[in-house]
Amino acid sequence: MADRQVDHLLIGGGLAAANCARWLRQEGADGSILLVGREPDPPYNRPPCSKEFLQGREGREETYFRPNEWWEDQSIELLTRTSVMQVDLGSRVATLSNHQEVGFDKALVATGANVRILHVDGAELDGLHYLRTLSNSEAIWRDAEAGERVVIIGGSYIGTEVAASLTLRGKRCAIVMQESVTHERTFGAQAGRYFQSVLEEHGVEVHGDDELERFEGADGRVTKVVTKSELELDADAVVIGAGVHPDVHLAERAGLELGERGGVRCSSRLETSAPGVWAAGDICEYDSPIHGAPLRIEHWDVALSQGKTAALNMLGRETEHDVVPYFFSDLADWASLEYVGPAFGWDEEVVRGSIENGEFSGWYLKDGRVAAALSVGRSDDLDHARRLLTAHTDVSGRAAELADVNSDLSAL
């Protein structure tokens, strides 16, 4: 028998679970809500970890999803520093790391993602950092502040954002990456070169078409990064942005079905293979009614919107998750991007505006339809991209209209 019973058990201390709790209360749930998170902090926004918080422009509490008193005001029980170790779906009982057993009626699994760890020579040295939490961000700055040169491994979101943030604070940063230019895999070479040029104009060294070979150190601490092309970079600290993988261990042990993209398989309403159990955030691999295929996205805004969808369905609303995935990124205060999609591949790329002037949108077409769009200084274009993507509008042969800033996109 469980030690106690709750109506809604929210597993995971991130934004998906937090927004689920919010919408449960906002939409009239009057039963008990328990949110269990393993971090010491209450749920917070992760983007500042590589941006405003790392830059020293935003304090810890400013990143919080809601002020501390909000949870009590909403009668939502929040357990931090606590993990759910096991879920018995048959008896509807979860075992917590504090040895408490909690029975539940409905549950959300939102366990997020873990960073990919690199296993190379020297990986045990001090001064190597991965970025996922506020505490990670604090540790990066402590090391960077005490030194001068920081090497970043990886040229995607975390790598470029960290390089920009630390450069803004006066550190000398270098990026080592496998891609030819930054963000090439997500945005293609044209847009990637633009973001790389912004970084280089502000003093960031970028070494593409290369790969980490090993770390070297002295007295147990990293001092140098060596690449496979035999490039050697002095390093007082290293930040590794090698991506993440969904944390599905709990879900797998519980017997939930997993999908081909590595997440927890969900319906278009985000319900898992177990009735009355939903998933949201980085682990959620759902049937997208917009894309007509399973989708799993590791972005802040997606976690936020999926938390709401899960809450509505916990309340019996039968709501499909029909939100077009959105993402944003900032390189210090030098450049900002927004993106809707995603495009895992495309056969045509159209630029609207001027990359040289830093005001453009990139349109990624697949089989004559919009698969994704990127905006730098042209946010209004994304509204049209969402519409065209959702409607599966055939834009074959209309690349010239997409590219012409004087054309009326609403006519497409």
Side-chain angles (χ1 to χ4, degrees):
M1 178 177 288
D3 298 312
R4 61 181 177 125
Q5 186 77 23
V6 298
D7 294 295
H8 303 94
L9 173 64
L10 312 182
I11 303 171
L15 200 61
N19 207 36
C20 181
R22 168 203 170 189
W23 281 98
L24 282 171
R25 281 289 183 250
Q26 188 164 319
E27 291 296 307
D30 54 8
S32 53
I33 302 174
L34 171 63
L35 191 154
V36 182
R38 63 190 177 193
E39 290 192 48
D41 294 284
Y44 58 88
N45 296 303
R46 292 192 189 276
C49 290
S50 57
K51 296 191 275 287
E52 296 89 352
F53 185 74
L54 183 58
Q55 294 162 15
R57 295 177 169 182
E58 192 170 285
R60 198 179 195 94
E61 293 190 359
E62 291 176 86
T63 70
Y64 288 174
F65 173 73
R66 290 293 186 273
N68 287 327
E69 60 271 15
W70 180 85
W71 301 94
E72 185 174 352
D73 292 343
Q74 296 293 313
S75 298
I76 298 169
E77 184 180 358
L78 178 62
L79 280 181
T80 57
R81 302 178 185 272
T82 308
S83 297
V84 175
M85 307 303 293
Q86 182 177 330
V87 176
D88 187 327
L89 295 175
S91 61
R92 313 290 272 195
V93 173
T95 303
L96 311 188
S97 57
N98 61 10
H99 306 297
Q100 189 177 72
E101 292 190 339
V102 179
F104 60 89
D105 181 24
K106 299 175 182 177
L108 174 73
V109 183
T111 44
N114 294 321
V115 296
R116 294 190 184 278
I117 304 298
L118 296 186
H119 300 284
V120 298
D121 289 345
E124 76 288 349
L125 293 167
D126 290 336
L128 304 182
H129 299 273
Y130 293 86
L131 178 56
R132 188 66 182 166
T133 68
L134 288 171
S135 296
N136 296 154
S137 187
E138 287 179 325
I140 288 169
W141 176 242
R142 280 197 301 269
D143 265 5
E145 187 178 28
E148 180 63 26
R149 283 192 60 94
V150 181
V151 177
I152 295 98
I153 309 299
S156 191
Y157 304 116
I158 291 298
T160 57
E161 289 173 359
V162 167
S165 294
L166 294 181
T167 300
L168 193 69
R169 301 190 76 170
K171 301 303 166 182
R172 296 171 58 199
C173 294
I175 295 174
V176 173
M177 62 188 186
Q178 296 176 333
E179 304 96 317
S180 298
V181 295
T182 58
H183 294 291
E184 183 178 20
R185 292 173 182 168
T186 306
F187 305 136
Q190 289 187 91
R193 276 192 291 271
Y194 166 75
F195 297 118
Q196 181 165 321
S197 70
V198 170
L199 292 166
E200 290 174 333
E201 286 170 7
H202 289 86
V204 178
E205 297 175 27
V206 182
H207 304 279
D209 289 322
D210 208 344
E211 192 172 348
L212 173 68
E213 174 68 24
R214 66 183 183 275
F215 300 112
E216 295 182 356
D219 300 322
R221 183 173 183 82
V222 68
T223 58
K224 187 175 293 186
V225 172
V226 181
T227 74
K228 290 190 175 180
S229 70
E230 300 184 352
L231 174 70
E232 297 186 2
L233 297 170
D234 293 334
D236 299 307
V238 173
V239 180
I240 301 169
V244 299
H245 56 86
D247 185 356
V248 296
H249 298 300
L250 177 68
E252 192 171 20
R253 290 198 304 271
L256 295 178
E257 181 183 344
L258 302 185
E260 293 181 1
R261 296 186 178 276
V264 176
R265 194 75 178 86
C266 295
S267 70
S268 61
R269 295 174 176 82
L270 310 189
E271 192 170 22
T272 70
S273 56
V277 178
W278 287 262
D282 293 348
I283 68 166
C284 178
E285 185 173 327
Y286 71 104
D287 288 328
S288 170
I290 292 175
H291 298 80
L295 208 60
R296 189 181 69 81
I297 307 293
E298 299 163 351
H299 293 329
W300 171 89
D301 189 75
V302 173
L304 188 75
S305 62
Q306 287 183 346
K308 177 181 178 180
T309 298
L312 295 177
N313 287 314
M314 284 181 169
L315 297 172
R317 303 293 173 80
E318 297 295 312
T319 302
E320 287 194 318
H321 190 68
D322 58 357
V323 181
V324 177
Y326 167 85
F327 179 73
F328 74 93
S329 180
D330 301 311
L331 301 181
D333 50 8
W334 313 330
S336 297
L337 68 88
E338 297 175 276
Y339 177 82
V340 295
F344 298 111
W346 58 89
D347 50 38
E348 188 175 3
E349 187 175 332
V350 179
V351 174
R352 182 181 180 89
S354 171
I355 292 179
E356 293 74 17
N357 295 335
E359 188 171 316
F360 66 95
S361 57
W363 297 73
Y364 304 92
L365 311 183
K366 179 70 173 176
D367 299 327
R369 288 169 171 77
V370 176
L374 164 73
S375 167
V376 175
R378 295 189 61 89
S379 296
D380 290 348
D381 287 357
L382 295 188
D383 293 333
H384 297 287
R386 287 187 182 92
R387 173 178 57 82
L388 295 169
L389 198 157
T390 301
H392 304 285
T393 303
D394 189 344
V395 294
S396 300
R398 306 185 74 174
E401 291 177 66
L402 285 175
D404 184 359
V405 295
N406 296 312
S407 67
D408 182 6
L409 290 178
S410 63
L412 287 174

